[in-house]
């Protein structure tokens, strides 16, 4: 695969393919799309961390963050060596392992894709990734927060 001149030149979609036998609510699909677009936006730390519940757990490679304040610090650190990034979300596999009533407010999924980085030292790197996520609908309808949020999000990076 040839490399574009910059990650901004990539015409990658943030919306993955979804299973046809499991209904994924449109609001969750929108959440995923906005999350990855925000993930690729430098300086969008508050917007990115808004995708997590206050008591969420984030595992990014070997780094772990518990609660939103630690997740925020991890997010800031993710940009230390990176000038630009662009995710491609290929597929999302959704399921529910809860009782029927609870299944309306929770969703568990695995997803995979790749991400291209332009590092501050000028190098370009492309990495495959997979993620395990547990999403939960928020109890309050605060307009400043997405209606769903990550309770748990773990990213596996293929280096």
């Amino acid at each position: 695969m040839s490399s574009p001149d910059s990650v901004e030149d990539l015409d990658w979609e943030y919306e993955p393919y979804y299973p046809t036998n499991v209904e994924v609510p449109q609001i969750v699909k929108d959440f995923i799309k906005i999350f990855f677009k925000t993930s690729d936006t430098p300086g969008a730390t508050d917007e990115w961390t808004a995708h997590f519940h206050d008591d969420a757990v984030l595992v990014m490679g070997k780094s772990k963050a518990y609660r939103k304040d630690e997740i925020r610090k991890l997010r800031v650190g993710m940009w230390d060596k990176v000038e630009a990034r662009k995710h491609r979300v290929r597929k999302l596999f959704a399921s529910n392992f809860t009782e029927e009533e609870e299944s309306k407010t929770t969703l568990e999924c695995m997803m995979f894709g790749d991400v291209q980085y332009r590092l501050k030292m000028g190098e370009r790197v492309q990495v495959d990734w997979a993620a395990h996520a547990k999403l939960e609908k928020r109890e309050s309808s605060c307009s400043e927060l997405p209606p769903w949020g990550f309770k748990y999000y773990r990213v596996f990076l293929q280096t």
Side-chain angles (χ1 to χ4, degrees):
M1 177 170 143
S2 64
S3 261
D5 291 334
S6 72
V7 294
E8 292 84 5
D9 293 340
L10 292 173
D11 188 25
W12 287 359
E13 289 293 321
Y14 292 112
E15 191 162 345
Y17 289 107
Y18 290 94
T20 56
N21 64 336
V22 176
E23 184 180 345
V24 179
Q26 185 61 47
I27 199 161
V28 172
K29 291 178 180 181
D30 294 343
F31 172 88
I32 294 296
K33 188 175 183 176
I34 292 167
F35 173 75
F36 281 101
K37 187 174 185 177
T38 306
S39 186
D40 292 343
T41 306
T45 301
D46 291 337
E47 295 89 342
W48 190 81
T49 55
H51 286 84
F52 292 85
H53 283 270
D54 290 340
D55 59 348
V57 174
L58 170 64
V59 182
M60 185 78 59
K62 294 180 181 181
S63 301
K64 293 181 182 176
Y66 303 92
R67 304 191 59 79
K68 203 176 254 187
D69 58 333
E70 289 183 17
I71 291 170
R72 186 181 195 347
K73 289 177 191 172
L74 195 148
R75 159 68 182 192
V76 170
M78 288 168 35
W79 286 93
D80 283 349
K81 298 178 182 178
V82 175
E83 185 175 333
R85 74 165 49 95
K86 186 78 172 193
H87 284 83
R88 177 169 41 189
V89 188
R90 294 185 177 267
K91 290 185 180 178
L92 184 144
F93 305 90
S95 192
N96 214 311
F97 299 95
T98 58
E99 298 296 323
E100 188 173 333
E101 188 61 32
E102 194 178 342
S103 71
K104 296 174 185 171
T105 61
T106 63
L107 185 70
E108 192 163 354
C109 60
M110 294 291 296
M111 55 190 131
F112 72 91
D114 44 55
V115 58
Q116 188 175 59
Y117 299 98
R118 185 176 67 234
L119 304 179
K120 290 180 179 176
M121 300 295 286
E123 184 181 2
R124 289 183 176 81
V125 180
Q126 186 168 320
V127 178
D128 293 330
W129 60 268
H132 174 215
K134 293 181 182 178
L135 293 148
E136 190 172 286
K137 191 172 184 177
R138 295 185 197 276
E139 291 180 16
S140 70
S141 58
C142 174
S143 63
E144 294 179 17
L145 297 173
W148 286 72
F150 289 114
K151 286 293 276 185
Y152 178 84
Y153 186 57
R154 182 172 188 176
V155 179
F156 305 88
L157 300 168
Q158 180 71 40
T159 55

